[in-house]
Amino acid sequence: MTGRLLAGSRVVRRTLVLGAVAALATGLAVAGTPRANAAADTLGAAAAQTGRYFGTAISASKLGDPVYTAIAGREFTMVTPENEMKLDATEPRQGVFNFGPGDRVYDWAAQNGKQVRGHTLLWHSGQPQWLQNLSGSALRQAMIDHIDGVMAHYKGKIYAWDVVNEAFADGTGGRRNSNFQRTGDDWIEHAFRAARAADPAAKLCYNDYNIENWTSAKTQSVYTMVKDFRSRGVPIDCVGIQAHFTSGNPYPGDFRTTLRNFAALGVDVQITELDIQGAPPATYADVVTDCLTVPRCTGVTVWGVRDTDSWRSGDTPLLFDGDGDKKPAYTAVLDALNAAVPGPSPSPTPSPAGSCTATLSAGAKWPDRYNLGVTVTGSDDWIVTMTVPRPAKIIATWNVSARWNPTTNVMTARPDGHGDSWGVTIKHHGNRTWPTVSCRHA
Ligand code: XIL
């Protein structure tokens, strides 16, 4: 009888000690119990409970419309400038950059706690006249200079860049005939290498349409290119699948296979420009559910807020009608997100080729904050930078030496005698999207 009591009190003591260590480690007086997620009532919050973002395209010209900004501010956690970061907008004359419209979208997103997808650095469309007049090595140099100029301006601020957009032809699966293509097949890999050097913190994506159907020649060609890039160490982190669905290009039953197969190459996949003719609720739910079943499908972006904001408004393809009211497709998407298994899915963020890798894993969760574990591989002396999506903040760390920059919302961490496993506590302030991390040798 005495023995059993003693054993019991030892168990209690050990639990108390562990509890004290946990409280010290997080710098918090009280460590609460992790809670299951309740159904969220916005797209962004519902997606965040699965560790994903839900985004929209934003036009700078509409930021003065209070109905537009109210919906966009409430529902979405990721912003893609619809036209403001394209080549004709950012470099209207060679070497003369204009970041005014892009900054208006960026600033609105940052002030409202949203992350930004950079769209797009090299595209056959939306080219200023001066660029169309160039060819050969002069054009190649201008392409690289453009990447350098735009990415330097937004360095450290962009979740992912669509480095190259729509470089493949419909039907045949060959490369699209463009001025860029006429500089040589290797223009895409040169663009990605330049992009990595210009901003190592941004994920680098290839983005295209009509690559939803796994069996189409175009999808196969893009897949072959990404596989080749991964095998040769050309830096690519993600594939953006536009998903503009119409009766001519309907949602394919094998979309999930496409997402899964790209992800299996070691890249993230993102649905980047979703709109569906007529906005059938079941199809919207299917697309979102497809993403939710693939751990490396990190988010979905719809191409505009209201039907009247759409580039093909006649198709009424979006989630809100012209009055800003929620359509049945909205409810279908929200329900699909809320039906997902709660909790972020671990998604390793790739690092530049030849350097180290920092991988995040889910830790304890509380109503106002959550823990992430970080494991570093590939180096003993490393520097990890962690960019936290505003308004979330890192409030504590353990087993690491870290500096927090409140202006950029970026933490820089070094081992400093600790090991390669450490962690952070993040106060989410409503934004549960995981930070992005990158690792390099010290
Ligand atoms: C579209 C915009 O929505 C329009 O406002 C603009 O006139 C043309 O471009 N694929 C893309 C997007 O990658 O950039 C395009 O956006 C739609 C197709």
Side-chain angles (χ1 to χ4, degrees), residues 82-83 86 119 123 165-166 207 242 244 273 303 311:
E82 186 167 353
N83 292 302
K86 291 174 179 171
H119 177 76
W123 188 28
N165 197 31
E166 303 182 351
N207 192 55
Q242 294 184 9
H244 293 294
E273 304 183 15
W303 205 240
W311 68 313

Side-chain angles (χ1 to χ4, degrees), residues 153-324:
H153 181 77
Y154 292 108
K155 190 171 182 180
K157 296 171 154 187
I158 299 291
Y159 167 79
W161 268 108
D162 290 333
V163 178
V164 169
N165 197 31
E166 303 182 351
F168 282 82
D170 292 312
T172 63
R175 290 285 182 87
R176 175 190 296 277
N177 181 15
S178 72
N179 54 344
F180 295 155
Q181 182 60 31
R182 288 190 292 275
T183 68
D185 257 353
D186 60 355
W187 71 275
I188 301 183
E189 62 186 270
H190 280 259
F192 275 86
R193 290 190 203 278
R196 177 69 91 216
D199 184 357
K203 291 180 195 255
L204 306 180
C205 301
Y206 176 79
N207 192 55
D208 213 331
Y209 68 94
N210 277 359
I211 56 166
E212 295 83 16
N213 188 326
W214 174 242
T215 59
S216 86
K218 189 170 170 183
T219 309
Q220 291 299 311
S221 298
V222 173
Y223 177 83
T224 303
M225 178 188 74
V226 176
K227 190 174 182 184
D228 171 53
F229 281 10
R230 298 291 299 170
S231 73
R232 290 191 295 116
V234 178
I236 183 167
D237 308 314
C238 36
V239 173
I241 301 185
Q242 294 184 9
H244 293 294
F245 293 121
T246 59
S247 48
N249 174 41
Y251 163 73
D254 62 4
F255 187 43
R256 193 178 291 198
T257 304
T258 304
L259 296 173
R260 200 187 305 126
N261 287 346
F262 274 115
L265 294 176
V267 290
D268 290 347
V269 286
Q270 297 155 8
I271 298 170
T272 51
E273 304 183 15
L274 178 63
D275 51 14
I276 314 177
Q277 188 173 28
T283 312
Y284 257 108
D286 284 346
V287 172
V288 167
T289 303
D290 287 343
C291 177
L292 295 171
T293 60
V294 177
R296 293 201 71 161
C297 181
T298 58
V300 177
T301 294
V302 289
W303 205 240
V305 179
R306 301 160 299 194
D307 283 336
T308 42
D309 303 315
S310 169
W311 68 313
R312 49 195 192 98
S313 54
D315 284 348
T316 58
L318 294 174
L319 302 178
F320 294 86
D321 67 20
D323 294 329

Side-chain angles (χ1 to χ4, degrees), residues 321-393:
D321 67 20
D323 294 329
D325 290 328
K326 295 170 180 172
K327 294 165 62 180
Y330 171 93
T331 311
V333 168
L334 185 64
D335 290 350
L337 291 168
N338 276 321
V341 181
S345 18
S347 162
T349 303
S351 305
S355 88
C356 44
T357 302
T359 307
L360 301 179
S361 58
K365 281 195 276 182
W366 299 270
D368 63 334
R369 65 193 193 280
Y370 63 95
N371 286 351
L372 288 178
V374 188
T375 310
V376 181
T377 53
S379 168
D380 288 336
D381 195 11
W382 40 258
I383 300 176
V384 166
T385 50
M386 186 177 280
T387 308
V388 184
R390 290 177 207 277
K393 284 185 174 54

